[in-house]
Amino acid sequence: SIKDIVELSDIIFVATPTPHEEGYDGRNPTSHLPPQDFNYNSVKEVLRECNKYVKREQTLALISTVLPGTIRRELAPLITNTKLIYNPYLIAMGSVGWDMINPEMIIVGTSKGVLKTADRARQLLNFYARICDNSPRVEFGTWEEAESIKIFYNTFISTKISLVNMVQDVSDKLGYMNVDRVTKALAKSTQRINSPAYMKAGMGDGGACHPRDNIALRWLAKELDLGYDLFESIMTAREKQAENMAIAILKHGKNIWFSSDTYKPNTTLIDGSYSLLVQHYVKKHGGTLVNGFDTPVEVIVRVHESDDIKADNNTIIFDPWRTYPKADNVVYYGK
């Protein structure tokens, strides 16, 4: 029970999901929908229960993803018996264990963002010093600063993927151009572009974090009356890129089989799946999704770069990654 966990622990981590509303994870178009914040009901329920048993000297750390401003406005007031710390993680599905002990950075947020007066935060950092293998840097600040580091980290990735997939669109429509030559040149440009990560055009951004964080930040932009919505543009670009890919797929046949519905290989995870988003547009433009058993397959879409496709010469293999062995029935997208 939560009571037992709290009473037996020096540090309590609250990892309760902050789900999106139905239809807001990114596997279907969302740019036309009204922006919405995450749902914090479960987090509030767990924090209230923790507060019944936690003592002042204990460290209570929330790691769930929330929008900037949420902790001070909605969550911290629920904790009266100790101080709430925000400690979001930068972990990816498929490498959770490794990411836990080799984090790019440790993010810690407190009410005032002053480390010398934050005894519980120092206790938390001492814990990470013992378990981490890579001596990560520490980014310490207010709740709002920690919230922003976490969610804008995710949306930077979404923006980067949208940009390289725009190069893919240009290559496909313009011709005389290999998308990989362009993106590799950009990936090596580390003086002003951050790193080579996420610099290969292919399937778009997916997962339970990145698309929904951009979707939720649309709500925050409206709530704060910023006067612009950069995140709508990111999500619109993501959806239009998926539609462009669907139209390119349908040039080679109407009966389409996707090698996977998931956003990450070797998993069953479909939250925010870009494959499902492309499938949405395939159906919208007159294509039929088949499984290869009941109806002959005209096109197989290679969803993950690791997918090993088996097909006869009568079936087109559509490869957005441009790494499948080239043959007469293999189509490279963007090259």
Side-chain angles (χ1 to χ4, degrees), residues 232-304:
E232 179 184 16
S233 298
I234 294 171
M235 296 310 291
T236 300
R238 177 180 180 270
E239 291 166 13
K240 187 57 184 176
Q241 288 164 359
E243 187 170 21
N244 289 342
M245 185 180 292
I247 292 170
I249 291 167
L250 290 168
K251 292 177 181 177
H252 305 284
K254 296 297 183 183
N255 294 331
I256 317 298
W257 178 47
F258 283 72
S259 62
S260 176
D261 291 340
T262 67
Y263 78 86
K264 186 175 285 290
N266 303 315
T267 73
T268 59
L269 303 171
I270 61 171
D271 288 344
S273 166
Y274 198 79
S275 173
L276 292 178
L277 183 62
V278 177
Q279 291 177 42
H280 167 88
Y281 288 112
V282 165
K283 291 187 290 186
K284 175 182 175 181
H285 288 278
T288 300
L289 301 177
V290 298
N291 56 24
F293 300 109
D294 304 322
T295 306
V297 177
E298 295 179 82
V299 184
I300 297 176
V301 180
R302 188 176 180 228
V303 173
H304 304 300

Side-chain angles (χ1 to χ4, degrees), residues 203-240:
M203 300 296 283
D205 203 7
C209 294
H210 298 175
R212 80 185 198 115
D213 287 357
N214 282 277
I215 293 165
L217 280 168
R218 289 192 58 211
W219 177 87
L220 187 64
K222 181 179 179 181
E223 184 74 6
L224 298 179
D225 194 24
L226 296 182
Y228 62 90
D229 187 351
L230 173 65
F231 313 101
E232 179 184 16
S233 298
I234 294 171
M235 296 310 291
T236 300
R238 177 180 180 270
E239 291 166 13
K240 187 57 184 176

Side-chain angles (χ1 to χ4, degrees), residues 300-313:
I300 297 176
V301 180
R302 188 176 180 228
V303 173
H304 304 300
E305 193 170 9
S306 59
D307 291 348
D308 186 14
I309 307 300
K310 304 298 183 185
D312 58 38
N313 290 331

Side-chain angles (χ1 to χ4, degrees), residues 146-180:
E147 290 165 327
S148 295
I149 292 170
K150 160 62 179 178
I151 200 160
F152 284 108
Y153 184 98
N154 284 351
T155 57
F156 258 105
I157 293 173
S158 296
T159 306
K160 201 171 183 181
I161 292 174
S162 291
L163 178 64
V164 298
N165 281 351
M166 179 181 175
V167 179
Q168 188 175 48
D169 278 350
V170 171
S171 177
D172 184 66
K173 292 180 179 296
L174 193 61
Y176 304 101
M177 177 176 164
N178 182 337
V179 58
D180 294 317

Side-chain angles (χ1 to χ4, degrees), residues 66 200 332:
V66 302
K200 184 173 180 61
Y332 285 174

Side-chain angles (χ1 to χ4, degrees), residues 10-75:
D10 297 315
I11 302 173
I12 303 100
F13 294 96
V14 177
T16 309
T18 51
H20 43 262
E21 297 297 329
E22 186 70 27
Y24 276 80
D25 74 341
R27 76 184 72 175
N28 290 308
T30 60
S31 56
H32 64 290
L33 298 175
Q36 290 202 34
D37 193 358
F38 303 135
N39 186 313
Y40 302 116
N41 291 340
S42 295
V43 170
K44 291 178 179 179
E45 182 180 348
V46 171
L47 289 178
R48 289 190 187 101
E49 191 71 11
C50 287
N51 190 59
K52 295 178 183 178
Y53 313 109
V54 73
K55 300 294 190 292
R56 184 157 296 277
E57 66 273 12
Q58 289 175 289
T59 298
L60 181 63
L62 175 67
I63 72 174
S64 307
T65 301
V66 302
L67 283 180
T70 302
I71 292 178
R72 196 176 302 274
R73 183 182 68 247
E74 298 188 42
L75 304 181

Side-chain angles (χ1 to χ4, degrees), residues 1 64 89 105 107 124 142 145 153 194 204 218 222 249 267 333:
S1 67
S64 307
Y89 284 11
M105 57 181 153
I107 308 168
L124 187 62
T142 63
E145 288 165 345
Y153 184 98
N194 292 330
R218 289 192 58 211
K222 181 179 179 181
I249 291 167
T267 73
Y333 184 48

